[in-house]
Amino acid sequence: MTDFSAFSLAGNRVLVTGANTGIGQGICVAIAKAGGEVIGVGRSAMDETAALVKAEDAMFTPVDSDLSDHVAAVSMLDRVWETVGPIDGLVNNAGIIRRADSVDFSETDWDDVMDVNLKSVFFLCQAFAKKALSAGRSGKIVNIASVLSFQGGIRVPSYTASKHGVLGITRLLACEWAAKGINVNAVAPGYVVTNNTAALRADAERSAAIMSRIPAGRWGEASDIGGAVVFLLAPASAYMHGAVMPVDGGWLAR
């Protein structure tokens, strides 16, 4: 008989960045359904996410933070650990995207994306590990990568570079921390209905081209990503380190 407690997050407190909409919101709801307590981090109101989490009889603590500043992000995690309580899981989901031809791409658009998508991700992982290791606690980190961790994409140079970097540091940190009780893994979403993909979905030609390549025949939903993240946070994935789980409707298989 399957031990479904291996998939439970009961008694776990998980911090999720970018929790106000899209994939982050879907992750928060999935954690709540698995019995976990959610700390949602965002730079705008998270009332909708809070309501959805509380509807699952789970606790939700909203935390305002600007993740473009990695020093502020680290201070936020330290403050949460001390005021709310120790964190069992960290989900680095927050991300931004800028679109332009590479010949026209600006330094500002490069730096802005890299600061949020990669620099703050690394230093939040570092801050979490420092807290967990000094307290003698185990922990789970799930970084949100992308199918563009494996591919080039079009007109998103800083996003592609950042998501290649997320996969790289996921593997590096797993090598360093696996034996110390900290699991570091990643989920690589495909094309999901979010604010970041609004421009693609509004472009009839581009949207049709994307859809034609997805074997599942549809765009992904935030809930599709949430289940994979819960698995990587749960005891069932205890022997997974440095892994990346594509959740892409079969995009990379084609």
Side-chain angles (χ1 to χ4, degrees):
M1 179 179 291
T2 303
D3 179 8
F4 285 101
S5 64
F7 300 90
S8 171
L9 295 181
N12 282 252
R13 181 180 294 119
V14 183
L15 188 150
V16 181
T17 66
N20 53 311
T21 61
I23 289 175
Q25 185 176 88
I27 291 169
C28 290
V29 173
I31 291 168
K33 288 182 176 179
E37 175 186 342
V38 181
I39 300 167
V41 177
R43 57 184 179 181
S44 58
M46 290 172 276
D47 296 346
E48 185 178 69
T49 304
L52 291 170
V53 168
K54 291 174 183 176
E56 300 295 334
D57 293 323
M59 290 185 62
F60 182 83
T61 303
V63 177
D64 181 73
S65 183
D66 179 6
L67 298 180
S68 66
D69 179 349
H70 76 281
V71 175
V74 168
S75 295
M76 174 273 298
L77 186 145
D78 289 344
R79 185 171 65 254
V80 168
W81 191 289
E82 298 302 328
T83 60
V84 180
I87 299 166
D88 301 289
L90 167 66
V91 182
N92 284 306
N93 163 73
I96 62 173
I97 195 166
R98 302 283 170 80
R99 301 180 188 278
D101 290 339
S102 292
V103 292
D104 301 319
F105 210 79
S106 71
E107 183 178 4
T108 297
D109 284 343
W110 179 273
D111 289 343
D112 287 351
V113 171
M114 296 296 280
D115 283 347
V116 174
N117 293 15
L118 187 58
K119 190 171 186 177
S120 281
V121 168
F122 173 77
F123 284 104
L124 281 172
C125 288
Q126 182 189 72
F128 175 79
K130 283 182 176 180
K131 288 288 190 182
L133 294 173
S134 65
R137 297 174 59 91
S138 60
K140 296 284 191 81
I141 297 174
V142 181
N143 295 321
I144 303 303
S146 169
V147 290
L148 294 188
S149 295
F150 307 97
Q151 299 178 309
I154 300 169
R155 304 184 74 244
V156 287
S158 57
Y159 185 85
T160 298
S162 72
K163 292 302 183 179
H164 272 65
V166 166
L167 181 53
I169 64 170
T170 295
R171 289 169 169 164
L172 169 104
L173 296 178
C175 290
E176 292 193 21
W177 297 342
K180 298 179 180 180
I182 298 177
N183 298 68
V184 188
N185 294 293
V187 171
Y191 288 86
V192 179
V193 178
T194 67
N195 293 338
N196 279 352
T197 61
L200 293 179
R201 288 180 284 113
D203 183 333
E205 184 177 342
R206 186 86 171 94
S207 181
I210 290 169
M211 184 71 74
S212 69
R213 179 177 164 154
I214 302 174
R218 66 174 177 86
W219 284 67
E221 300 290 342
S223 57
D224 294 319
I225 311 304
V229 172
V230 166
F231 170 67
L232 291 177
L233 291 169
S237 61
Y239 196 55
M240 292 181 68
H241 297 276
V244 56
M245 294 176 57
V247 184
D248 61 359
W251 173 273
L252 291 174
R254 177 162 285 179

